[in-house]
Amino acid sequence: LVTVDSPVSEGGREFEFDSVVGGDATQAEVYYNTVGDAIRQTVFSGFNFTILAYGQTSSGKTYTMLGEGEENSVARLSSSRRKIQQPSPSAKKYELRETDGILPRVLFDLFQAKEECDGKVNI
């Protein structure tokens, strides 16, 4: 529970969070402290799952969701998965980078879980 003192109102306002990560947290720490295993359990049980990034301009929403780098991580993952579905001698397995954000990690985990289920799950 976080209490924010406000000069406008007496007593401050209270906000409740499921988790809080520090400014020095890695992308992996953010993912596993916020989404982590919950996505597998929720999606594979037939429920929808929403991840929302909210905050002021330039606060890091895009970086947190996608990561950084010259090549978009989601596009790299999609391209890699197409290669896996149609294997070729030059196909490379996708590997997460330290800077990959929440969305690439979600897709990676979902496709990884699908492979572990021997085709019993459709994504």
Side-chain angles (χ1 to χ4, degrees), residues 71 73-85 92 94:
E71 188 179 355
S73 300
V74 176
R76 278 189 317 111
L77 180 60
S78 298
S79 172
S80 176
R81 288 297 164 186
R82 279 194 298 273
K83 290 177 185 173
I84 290 171
Q85 291 172 356
K92 294 181 181 177
Y94 182 86

Side-chain angles (χ1 to χ4, degrees), residues 39-107:
I39 188 123
R40 281 189 184 196
Q41 296 168 0
T42 303
V43 171
F44 289 152
S45 296
F47 294 97
N48 293 328
F49 197 93
T50 301
I51 301 171
L52 174 70
Y54 179 81
Q56 79 182 71
T57 302
S58 297
S59 62
K61 298 176 298 294
T62 301
Y63 173 77
T64 300
M65 296 302 283
L66 296 177
E68 70 178 5
E70 296 175 12
E71 188 179 355
N72 182 305
S73 300
V74 176
R76 278 189 317 111
L77 180 60
S78 298
S79 172
S80 176
R81 288 297 164 186
R82 279 194 298 273
K83 290 177 185 173
I84 290 171
Q85 291 172 356
Q86 301 167 359
S88 70
S90 63
K92 294 181 181 177
K93 185 148 176 93
Y94 182 86
E95 293 181 13
L96 286 172
R97 297 180 300 191
E98 186 176 321
T99 58
D100 283 343
I102 289 176
L103 292 178
R105 292 175 189 279
V106 166
L107 292 173

